[in-house]
Amino acid sequence: MRRIAIVLMLCLKFSAAKADETITKSTPIDGLPFQDYRITSCSGVSGLGWISFGAQSSGTGWFQNHALSDFCFDMKKGKVFSAARAEKLSLVAGPGSLAPGSGLNSFKALNYGGDTPPSFAFVPYPAPLFCDSDRTGLYAAEGYNLDYGTGHSESSLLGFSRGTPFPNATLPIDQKYGFSFQPIWGADDRELDASEVRFFAIWASASNTDGRTSLVIEHGDGIIAGEATGQIDVNLKDGGEITLSGEFQYKNAQFAGLQPDDFVSGTARIVYMRGFLAGEDGKGVFALGIARGTYVDASGNDHNLWYGVSMNACVQSGVPFIIVPPR
């Protein structure tokens, strides 16, 4: 059983040159020891990402476990501060800046004694499918072989930098929003079966009516998920933070010829999700979180799962930018 110790609240302080860095850990979902780490302040590049790490099961073998974490990256010191950490990373490619047009920034631990050195990179958003990094200040963040504490020295971080703050607490309505779903845990104290591990995506449009901000589900990706309906509520907070909750239904994009373990239809409910508004026009929106889902396969069997979820704006075609925990 992939479980980690339940700790309701823990504050850790690490000395820095100007001020103490503080990270707070919580378990926000009742009955699930999923952990979320928040950083109260950051003097470097801040953002949010998935931490994936190896953990010993109660039986045999190893598996991936996942947590959500803010991160703070000090480019001058080459230091990653989050639930997973690394120090003494050297710039090996790029200008060492996330100014508009700066391109890829890649860091790596040099003269590392182990087989695979820790690394961290900021990757520009690809255009034209997304609001590019020049307009939003958003970059994909990728960290590998980070330290998640004793015994977890090969963890990874996949997420987004926070980008240019957007001052208005509104969600742009002239953009498409993409949600990516990746099964990560069985909901009944079990490992996932191989047939259950299906990535799928859905699209939504924004609505701001009667003081209520929501994302209305329009359709699935057309490959795995076809018809999809539902609504996701968006709570806009001070400082550009957003939280999301809601439920939607979806059906298989394939109408006939399903195998016995193929899904027919399903429901997913977002139970915890947070992110940020960013960009000069607010179009650099992203959020990460957890959804509880159930689907029925072609044999009539129910499957209960937990999904890692990613949401981002400026989706014009293709699939949303995939920042979900890897299997």
Side-chain angles (χ1 to χ4, degrees), residues 77-287:
K77 295 181 178 180
K79 176 184 176 181
V80 183
F81 179 72
S82 72
R85 305 175 180 88
E87 295 183 348
K88 299 179 181 179
L89 302 182
S90 299
L91 181 68
V92 295
S97 167
L98 293 188
S102 63
L104 171 71
N105 281 268
S106 181
F107 298 79
K108 184 180 294 186
L110 305 178
N111 302 318
Y112 184 70
D115 293 333
T116 307
S119 64
F120 205 92
F122 292 101
V123 183
Y125 258 29
L129 297 184
F130 311 96
C131 288
D132 61 52
S133 297
D134 286 359
R135 293 175 57 197
T136 64
L138 281 175
Y139 285 77
E142 302 177 0
Y144 298 100
N145 296 296
L146 308 179
D147 185 5
Y148 186 76
T150 304
H152 303 304
S153 59
E154 296 182 353
S155 61
S156 62
L157 183 150
L158 297 176
F160 300 92
S161 68
R162 186 164 177 173
T164 303
F166 181 59
N168 302 323
T170 58
L171 199 66
I173 62 174
D174 58 344
Q175 294 297 313
K176 295 296 182 182
Y177 295 80
F179 287 80
S180 306
F181 291 81
Q182 171 68 57
I184 54 176
W185 299 308
D188 302 316
D189 195 21
R190 61 179 177 80
E191 298 289 324
L192 290 170
D193 296 329
S195 64
E196 295 175 319
V197 184
R198 292 187 179 92
F199 163 85
F200 70 92
I202 59 171
W203 275 257
S205 60
S207 172
N208 292 315
T209 57
D210 298 327
R212 181 182 181 183
T213 301
S214 60
L215 293 170
V216 180
I217 307 302
E218 294 185 336
H219 57 81
D221 52 46
I223 301 173
I224 302 298
E227 179 183 337
T229 59
Q231 182 169 293
I232 308 299
D233 291 326
V234 182
N235 183 21
L236 304 168
K237 299 184 176 183
D238 293 339
E241 183 176 0
I242 60 173
T243 59
L244 298 88
S245 62
E247 185 173 308
F248 69 94
Q249 298 75 43
Y250 62 98
K251 296 180 180 180
N252 199 319
Q254 185 175 339
F255 300 120
L258 297 176
Q259 298 299 311
D261 58 1
D262 287 341
F263 85 91
V264 176
S265 61
T267 298
R269 178 173 59 90
I270 294 175
V271 295
Y272 185 80
M273 195 167 188
R274 67 182 180 95
F276 298 98
L277 296 170
E280 296 178 358
D281 50 11
K283 295 178 180 178
V285 182
F286 76 93

